[in-house]
Amino acid sequence: MNGNLRVGNLFGIPFYVNVSWFLVLALITWNYGSALSGAFPTLPGTLSWLLGLAAALLLFSSVLAHELGHSFAAIQQGIGVNSITLFLFGGLAALEKESDNPGGAFKVAIAGPVVSLVLFVLLSTVGQVFALGGPVGAIVSLLAYINLALGVFNLLPGLPLDGGNVLKAIVWKVTGNPYKGTAFASRAGQVIGWLAIGIGTAAILRISTFGSSWTLLIGWFLLSNANRSAQSASVQQRLDGLTAQDALVDNSPIVAQQASLREFADEVLLNSTSNWQRFLVVDTEGQLVGTISVEALQTVSRDRWAVTTVGDVMTAETALTTIRSNESLLDVVQTLEAQKLSVLAVIRDNGQLMGLLEKQAIVRLMQGQASKINPVPAK
Ligand SMILES: [Zn+2]
């Protein structure tokens, strides 16, 4: 997310706040500060503002505790936490990856609300046992209420909320298919998003007294996130079961190391519709040993093409990342994204080159179109 400031580390997890957070902090301080000075007229003005600020910071600590709940559950499963960020709509714990089983996903999802509800019980008990009154009592009961709201709201059963992740884990467990879980929980999230938008709109139009413009904003936030996860679920479902081999380029530009330049020129002509500018060179075993550009033909006079081999003029460095042909396309997409690549060399288990795989081909596979590719390989 843009506009994030790094504040420090929490249990080794980088901790960020979004710039929008300062606006919320100021609003909440003002809100609580004026509420406190209204409720306790004897309180000196500065003190009520300071208590307002303290309450606002404690509210954010509650959100943080909630995110740490998710984070610790993930760490327990060996999943790293990239960052925790506080922003306009709350908190976000960015995990390195998702749990690989529904039980694990359930634990990560439920851990946040559990922390919030435990804090609610603790704070309510403290308020009751010590019979806290005055401004401190007001802040403690407010915090208890906030943690209750955090726990309950986040348990609403639709993505991107925690309850949506719980629902996803349950559907995953029942169907054995994680993408079905995501698709179902996303749809539920879309319904919740639209409901919130409806409630917020009714409140703004003064049709109802329940909700506010904030409800509308939250609804929009939930809806756009639910739409995104619905989209990624359908992509994942399409790619599920496919491997790197399924996205191979037809007539990949491959030429044998021992072929003569004459034969290479014929190969280029054969592939002329694809307009390849660079070919992959394989040895007699089929292993990738280098690349040769079409331009290399011009460096050798035409009458020497028959006696010069591709191996004589090729570049021994390929600079291509290789992947196994049986690797799942979902993992391939991750590799392409992580390394910002557009093309990969696909090899068999024995190291033999099968051909090229292009990002564009996967995009077409996802769109359900037949693959027809006429690209120029990178480099
Ligand atoms: Zn949560």
Side-chain angles (χ1 to χ4, degrees):
M1 202 180 297
N2 291 326
N4 287 340
L5 305 174
R6 181 152 180 181
V7 182
N9 276 313
L10 276 171
F11 304 99
I13 305 165
F15 172 46
Y16 296 86
V17 293
N18 189 265
V19 284
S20 63
W21 177 85
F22 290 101
L23 177 75
V24 182
L25 182 73
L27 275 174
I28 294 174
T29 303
W30 177 70
N31 210 341
Y32 290 175
S34 46
L36 280 171
S37 62
F40 305 98
T42 52
L43 209 61
T46 358
L47 188 59
S48 64
W49 292 114
L50 278 177
L51 284 171
L53 178 66
L57 288 173
L58 284 168
L59 184 156
F60 282 110
S61 310
S62 302
V63 176
L64 203 55
H66 176 109
E67 298 310 325
L68 282 174
H70 291 304
S71 304
F72 288 148
I75 289 168
Q76 215 175 27
Q77 294 171 38
I79 298 169
V81 182
N82 295 334
S83 63
I84 289 180
T85 307
L86 294 182
F87 67 112
L88 192 57
F89 295 107
L92 181 81
L95 307 184
E96 191 182 70
K97 61 185 175 80
E98 286 191 62
S99 304
D100 53 13
N101 61 84
F106 179 84
K107 280 183 202 150
V108 171
I110 202 82
V114 164
V115 167
S116 299
L117 295 176
V118 166
L119 280 173
F120 160 68
V121 172
L122 279 178
L123 287 162
S124 316
T125 314
V126 165
Q128 300 249 307
V129 169
F130 295 99
L132 292 175
V136 174
I139 288 180
V140 169
S141 68
L142 176 76
L143 267 181
Y145 165 76
I146 282 166
N147 277 285
L148 176 67
L150 257 180
V152 172
F153 174 71
N154 278 288
L155 280 175
L156 288 178
L159 284 175
L161 295 168
D162 297 332
N165 278 304
V166 167
L167 182 63
K168 170 191 159 176
I170 293 169
V171 176
W172 180 359
K173 177 82 184 169
V174 171
T175 62
N177 184 333
Y179 315 124
K180 280 193 179 147
T182 308
F184 189 83
S186 303
R187 241 165 276 142
Q190 287 167 327
V191 171
I192 293 173
W194 278 119
L195 273 176
I197 288 173
I199 291 170
T201 309
I204 291 170
L205 298 177
R206 297 181 189 280
I207 297 168
S208 84
T209 51
F210 186 65
S212 64
S213 49
W214 182 249
T215 321
L216 176 71
L217 260 181
I218 288 270
W220 168 81
F221 171 75
L222 293 181
L223 183 64
S224 56
N225 275 278
N227 286 344
R228 204 172 311 144
S229 51
Q231 213 168 9
S232 88
S234 83
V235 165
Q236 287 171 325
Q237 214 153 5
R238 282 214 178 107
L239 292 188
D240 192 32
L242 295 178
T243 62
Q245 201 173 339
D246 297 307
L248 270 185
V249 170
D250 297 329
N251 299 319
S252 288
I254 300 173
V255 63
Q257 185 178 17
Q258 72 276 15
S260 69
L261 288 189
R262 179 72 261 161
E263 287 164 318
F264 175 47
D266 293 344
E267 190 70 32
V268 172
L269 277 177
L270 201 72
N271 267 295
S272 62
T273 48
S274 305
N275 203 19
W276 295 106
Q277 291 306 305
R278 188 170 285 274
F279 280 63
L280 303 179
V281 182
V282 290
D283 62 13
T284 46
E285 311 274 86
Q287 310 273 333
L288 179 62
V289 288
T291 62
I292 182 168
S293 68
V294 174
E295 285 163 24
L297 282 170
Q298 284 152 22
T299 62
V300 179
S301 70
R302 205 170 271 257
D303 54 309
R304 302 215 28 95
W305 280 9
V307 292
T308 311
T309 67
V310 165
D312 293 335
V313 290
M314 73 173 192
T315 312
E317 183 53 52
T318 69
L320 264 179
T321 302
T322 56
I323 45 153
R324 302 272 163 173
S325 57
N326 55 7
E327 198 166 322
S328 91
L329 265 190
L330 278 170
D331 292 342
V332 172
V333 169
Q334 267 167 14
T335 306
L336 287 167
E337 292 293 326
Q339 301 185 30
K340 306 217 180 307
L341 299 169
S342 59
V343 63
L344 293 166
V346 181
I347 55 171
R348 292 193 179 86
D349 272 341
N350 60 12
Q352 272 187 353
L353 180 71
M354 285 188 83
L356 282 175
L357 175 150
E358 288 203 316
K359 196 174 177 176
Q360 277 306 310
I362 299 180
V363 173
R364 284 189 202 96
L365 269 176
M366 290 189 303
Q367 292 165 345
Q369 297 172 358
S371 57
K372 185 183 175 300
I373 306 122
N374 299 291
V376 180
K379 195 184 169 198

